[in-house]
Amino acid sequence: MFNIYTKEIEWGGRTLKLETGQIARQADGAVLATYGDTVVLCTAVGARSVKPGQDFFPLTVNYQEKTYAAGKIPGGFFKREARPSEKETLVSRLIDRPLRPLFADGYLNETQVICTVISHDLENDPDIVAMVGASAALTISGLPFLGPIGGCRVGYENGEYVLNPLMQDYENMDLDLVLAGTHEGVLMVESEAKELSEEVMLGAVAYGHEQMMPVINAIIELAEECAKDPRELAPVDPAVAAVKEKLIAGGILDKFAEAYGEQEKLQRQANIAAVKEAALEGLEEDEAAIAGGLFKKLEAEVVRGSILKTSMRIDGRNTKQIRPIVAEVGKLPLTHGSSLFTRGETQALVTSTLGTGQDEQIIDQLEGSYREHFMLHYNFPPYSVGEAGFLRGPGRREIGHGKLAWRAIHPLLPSKEDFPYTMRVVSEITESNGSSSMATVCGSSLALMDAGVPLKSPVAGIAMGLIKEGDDFAVLSDILGDEDHLGDMDFKVAGTENGVTALQMDIKITSITQEIMKVALEQAHEGRLHILGEMAKALTSGREGVSEHAPRITTFSIPKDKIREVIGTGGKVIREITEETGAKIDIEDDGTIKVAAVDKEAGDAAVDWIKSIVAEPEVGVVYDGKVVRCVDFGAFVNFMGARDGLVHISELENRRVGKVTDVVNEGDMVKVKCIGIERGGKVKLSMKRVDQETGEDLEGQEDEE
């Protein structure tokens, strides 16, 4: 019934298995990818025809994790998987980016790749398995995919590169780098690093590219056995060449060159739109439809050719120049930290907010739940590019850009023990013309330091571009939106003056060489140091102390057996403390207590209250107390938190007292001295040995005399 084809290789100390022919047989391509005991079902389907009037390639990649894969039931009321998590969105992008440039030119059929995690051993991350499986599914599908690609994760520990480290080892690594590529070169890189040098980063890419070769070969061998016949692409319409010749004969290249001579973005866009509109006026209706799809190629021909010939760019810069930068901090009066970072026509208004442990984000993943104390959110409103549009929730682009900036900042944050705050950074992109994600990195660094966060070093980011024709190429520093749109590479590097903390690369051509990547890294290093210098004009390190508007956190420890007393029955005691003082209180299982309050007096009151609850009475010490109950043989006095002690009737005054209420009544405030602690913990107190007005220890006075 089944024609099953399998290919297995030993890879990184585990077995990678690719299998097809049994599951999802109606998909164009379906591969069950297994690595260790992590299994991902990857499918690829392409529509048989193009939708009328469509002029773009509608590729959708969906990565999804099923909780049953790890033997779990989803939380919530509906008990089924809901919208994609942040990780699912990021991995979908991770797979999409290296696949997209490898589809044949002219293929515009709607295509969907779905990668479903159906078993997870909690050791081998499914993202790499899904990427490899998606590549295999497309390669055997018959779709015009010019792969296959391979992918892998590279760690760096003790000066050595590690292939596909286990998930539990990520935290110990100085590098977490994911890359994908073909036999010819690298297509995509995504990484977080702990201030590593450009040489180490380049070495990691080279190592990863070498290690993915067995995977690419295994996919090719599988395809040789079971790949479907390739689909025929629709022949090129001869009318396209005729329309192109007509546009060129009308001088459109010169007109585009003149329009791109305008350095101001909005005016340049208006000039380009006018050129297109004028060109369409002289065409028939069917010719105009074809021309719409040719404009981008003609624009690219003009811009790319000009840069390669003259080394001068759209806005008049050479290939290494950075646009003018203005960095400001403290822009907003009541936020804990704020910055406005402007680079040319790209601008980010960034705020930082400090909170307590109660503000941490609870992340629920297949690997288990954990709490995140650093969040970075990126927003890209339509007005930032002069457009009107719907305001929706964050899409894949917003989540991806925010995570890239998060990776850049994360390695420089102080430890949670040294700085016990929850941190949230929000970047509002108020203008955009190239690399708003790197503006977010710069603005986030400044906003955190403005709030008093002691970053190890300031962080800056820069976006690099590439124009490549044959063997001729030019690497561009600090690219514009048009250069990104018409270029071959988007290469983003973030870091400090000491090294790289994040690197992301996407290629629109089939691959790039290590020579190009080396040039890009060196040029990015120069650009990053220049940007750090401009940022230093605003702020060079975290301010002394946190913002006056941020809560002050006091951390101390109590014995574990005292936690119950601080919390109280049903949380009664801790609730009373927070209501009375206004402070926030976090209690950890090991007895660590964090008290947070904007008002210093409120924080001190809560700390003193808690310490009084857990403190042990000392014999010979005088305390303030309150009479809580009177009995025939004495008075019970609350003198330390919830602890009461007995003042025997004989210890009330230096005379014979006939009735306790002749001296004290419930509610009276008194001063008492601890004169003994019995074996059961009962405390004996005395009033007569203390001056009730001054609180002086009368016995102590006698001893001195």
Side-chain angles (χ1 to χ4, degrees):
M1 183 176 181
F2 302 113
N3 293 319
I4 301 174
Y5 301 89
T6 302
K7 181 61 60 178
E8 290 187 13
I9 60 169
E10 288 301 310
W11 189 45
R14 281 91 80 196
T15 300
L16 173 66
K17 178 181 176 183
L18 302 175
E19 178 184 301
T20 186
Q22 184 176 29
I23 299 177
R25 291 173 296 164
Q26 295 184 46
D28 290 319
V31 170
L32 204 63
T34 304
Y35 194 46
D37 285 328
T38 293
V39 184
V40 184
L41 174 63
C42 303
T43 61
V45 175
R48 293 291 168 180
S49 59
V50 182
K51 292 180 180 178
Q54 186 164 283
D55 60 355
F56 67 95
F57 175 38
L59 171 66
T60 304
V61 177
N62 295 104
Y63 167 88
Q64 52 187 8
E65 296 180 337
K66 301 296 184 180
T67 57
Y68 59 71
K72 297 180 179 180
I73 295 174
F77 182 77
F78 293 103
K79 297 298 177 186
R80 69 179 299 163
E81 293 79 5
R83 65 181 183 179
S85 66
E86 182 182 87
K87 181 183 178 181
E88 288 172 315
T89 299
L90 293 170
V91 176
S92 295
R93 281 171 51 87
L94 202 67
I95 299 169
D96 181 298
R97 285 156 46 195
L99 296 181
R100 189 174 292 272
L102 293 182
F103 283 87
D105 288 340
Y107 177 70
L108 302 178
N109 300 36
E110 184 174 2
T111 302
Q112 185 177 42
V113 175
I114 299 177
C115 303
T116 307
V117 180
I118 55 178
S119 178
H120 191 0
D121 60 12
L122 306 183
E123 290 188 341
N124 297 287
D125 203 319
D127 55 0
I128 297 299
V129 187
M131 183 184 294
V132 171
S135 171
L138 283 168
T139 303
I140 67 173
S141 68
L143 300 177
F145 175 67
L146 308 180
I149 65 164
C152 68
R153 173 174 268 102
V154 177
Y156 188 69
E157 185 178 26
N158 300 324
E160 299 288 336
Y161 296 116
V162 181
L163 176 64
N164 296 335
L166 298 177
M167 297 182 71
Q168 55 264 37
D169 295 333
Y170 288 177
E171 288 188 10
N172 301 323
M173 299 284 172
D174 293 328
L175 173 67
D176 180 11
L177 182 144
V178 174
L179 73 160
T182 62
H183 266 304
E184 290 72 31
V186 177
L187 281 163
M188 183 277 299
V189 178
E190 183 84 37
S191 66
E192 178 184 338
K194 296 179 180 177
E195 293 186 280
L196 298 178
S197 68
E198 281 76 9
E199 290 75 19
V200 172
M201 298 298 291
L202 188 61
V205 173
Y207 172 83
H209 186 242
E210 178 185 349
Q211 296 299 319
M212 70 174 69
M213 290 301 110
V215 176
I216 295 174
N217 293 333
I219 294 173
I220 292 173
E221 291 173 11
L222 179 68
E224 287 173 347
E225 296 179 12
C226 62
K228 295 179 179 178
D229 293 334
R231 292 192 192 179
E232 291 187 9
L233 286 173
V236 177
D237 188 349
V240 174
V243 172
K244 184 177 180 179
E245 288 182 15
K246 193 170 182 178
L247 290 171
I248 293 174
I252 194 169
L253 296 179
D254 292 336
K255 293 174 184 176
F256 272 145
E258 183 180 351
Y260 273 103
E262 171 59 52
Q263 296 185 11
E264 199 275 320
K265 176 187 172 183
L266 295 180
Q267 185 58 52
R268 182 170 63 249
Q269 289 178 337
N271 293 350
I272 293 168
V275 171
K276 293 177 181 179
E277 187 177 346
L280 292 174
E281 288 177 357
L283 299 176
E284 301 293 335
E285 186 176 342
D286 56 340
E287 291 179 324
I290 294 172
L294 291 172
F295 284 144
K296 181 181 176 181
K297 294 180 180 179
L298 294 170
E299 290 177 68
E301 190 176 323
V302 169
V303 173
R304 294 162 65 89
S306 174
I307 292 173
L308 289 174
K309 289 175 185 176
T310 67
S311 294
M312 298 300 292
R313 297 155 67 180
I314 295 171
D315 57 358
R317 289 181 292 152
N318 64 34
T319 57
K320 294 186 177 182
Q321 277 182 299
I322 311 297
R323 288 171 289 176
I325 292 172
V326 178
E328 304 171 74
V329 295
K331 294 295 292 183
L332 304 175
L334 294 180
T335 58
H336 298 166
S338 63
S339 70
L340 183 67
F341 181 85
T342 308
R343 186 190 60 242
E345 295 169 307
T346 295
Q347 186 180 76
L349 177 63
V350 188
T351 60
S352 59
T353 307
L354 304 181
T356 68
Q358 296 176 22
D359 299 309
E360 290 180 340
Q361 182 180 13
I362 300 174
I363 308 292
D364 188 18
Q365 295 187 160
L366 282 185
E367 299 82 15
S369 298
Y370 67 95
R371 302 176 75 93
E372 179 57 66
H373 76 291
F374 174 52
M375 296 158 278
L376 197 154
H377 299 144
Y378 165 102
N379 297 315
F380 192 85
Y383 66 76
S384 65
V385 287
E387 296 178 357
F390 290 108
L391 286 179
R392 299 185 177 89
R396 286 189 176 187
R397 180 180 180 278
E398 285 78 10
I399 292 173
H401 280 23
K403 190 64 176 182
L404 174 59
W406 185 94
R407 290 191 178 105
I409 300 288
H410 184 247
L412 283 309
L413 293 174
S415 68
K416 201 172 178 183
E417 291 72 28
D418 294 336
F419 192 75
Y421 286 90
T422 296
M423 295 162 279
R424 182 188 183 225
V425 174
V426 179
S427 174
E428 306 285 356
I429 302 304
T430 50
E431 293 182 33
S432 179
N433 186 14
S435 192
S436 55
S437 63
M438 295 296 96
T440 294
V441 171
C442 301
S444 298
S445 175
L446 291 169
L448 285 167
M449 292 191 295
D450 186 48
V453 178
L455 290 183
K456 296 175 185 175
S457 298
V459 191
I462 184 171
M464 314 296 293
L466 173 70
I467 304 296
K468 186 176 184 294
E469 296 290 348
D471 295 330
D472 196 10
F473 71 89
V475 174
L476 314 178
S477 296
D478 180 25
I479 54 175
L480 299 172
D482 286 333
E483 291 169 340
D484 183 11
H485 185 61
L486 302 174
D488 297 321
M489 176 180 75
D490 185 7
F491 188 83
K492 297 170 181 173
V493 187
T496 68
E497 61 181 5
N498 301 316
V500 176
T501 57
L503 188 152
Q504 183 186 85
M505 184 185 75
D506 291 305
I507 300 297
K508 300 174 187 175
I509 52 181
T510 53
S511 64
I512 65 168
T513 62
Q514 285 196 39
E515 177 195 359
I516 294 175
M517 190 175 291
K518 183 178 180 181
V519 171
L521 279 170
E522 291 174 351
Q523 208 164 304
H525 178 74
E526 296 174 13
R528 186 171 80 246
L529 294 182
H530 169 76
I531 296 170
L532 285 169
E534 295 299 307
M535 291 168 57
K537 296 176 182 178
L539 207 57
T540 57
S541 63
R543 298 191 187 279
E544 287 292 328
V546 298
S547 164
E548 62 180 10
H549 303 298
R552 265 65 174 174
I553 296 181
T554 303
T555 304
F556 60 98
S557 296
I558 64 172
K560 289 183 181 180
D561 58 359
K562 297 289 185 180
I563 294 176
R564 178 185 294 179
E565 294 179 30
V566 176
I567 295 174
T569 305
K572 178 183 177 181
V573 176
I574 195 169
R575 193 162 52 245
E576 183 182 359
I577 298 172
T578 56
E579 289 173 356
E580 288 288 331
T581 65
K584 288 185 177 181
I585 302 170
D586 292 328
I587 303 179
E588 299 177 10
D589 293 339
D590 63 355
T592 299
I593 294 186
K594 295 175 183 176
V595 177
V598 176
D599 180 68
K600 184 178 184 301
E601 291 184 5
D604 291 345
V607 170
D608 292 343
W609 195 330
I610 294 171
K611 287 184 175 180
S612 70
I613 294 174
V614 301
E616 291 292 338
E618 296 182 39
V619 175
V621 176
V622 174
Y623 299 94
D624 290 322
K626 180 180 180 180
V627 177
V628 292
R629 187 159 60 99
C630 294
V631 293
D632 292 341
F633 52 85
F636 287 96
V637 177
N638 174 243
F639 70 100
M640 181 183 284
R643 187 181 286 271
D644 296 342
L646 174 66
V647 180
H648 191 268
I649 191 170
S650 63
E651 291 290 333
L652 288 173
E653 288 187 344
N654 284 312
R655 64 181 179 85
R656 186 178 183 282
V657 177
K659 191 176 180 183
V660 172
T661 53
D662 291 341
V663 180
V664 293
N665 290 287
E666 289 185 15
D668 287 352
M669 301 303 296
V670 297
K671 299 183 186 301
V672 294
K673 178 180 179 179
C674 178
I675 58 175
I677 303 173
E678 297 181 353
R679 181 175 296 179
K682 294 180 180 180
V683 180
K684 296 164 63 178
L685 302 174
S686 172
M687 286 176 56
K688 72 180 184 180
R689 307 186 196 196
V690 182
D691 187 316
Q692 291 300 308
E693 291 187 5
T694 65
E696 287 184 282
D697 184 350
L698 299 177
E699 283 187 327
Q701 276 188 342
E702 291 175 4
D703 292 342
E704 289 177 9
E705 293 172 358

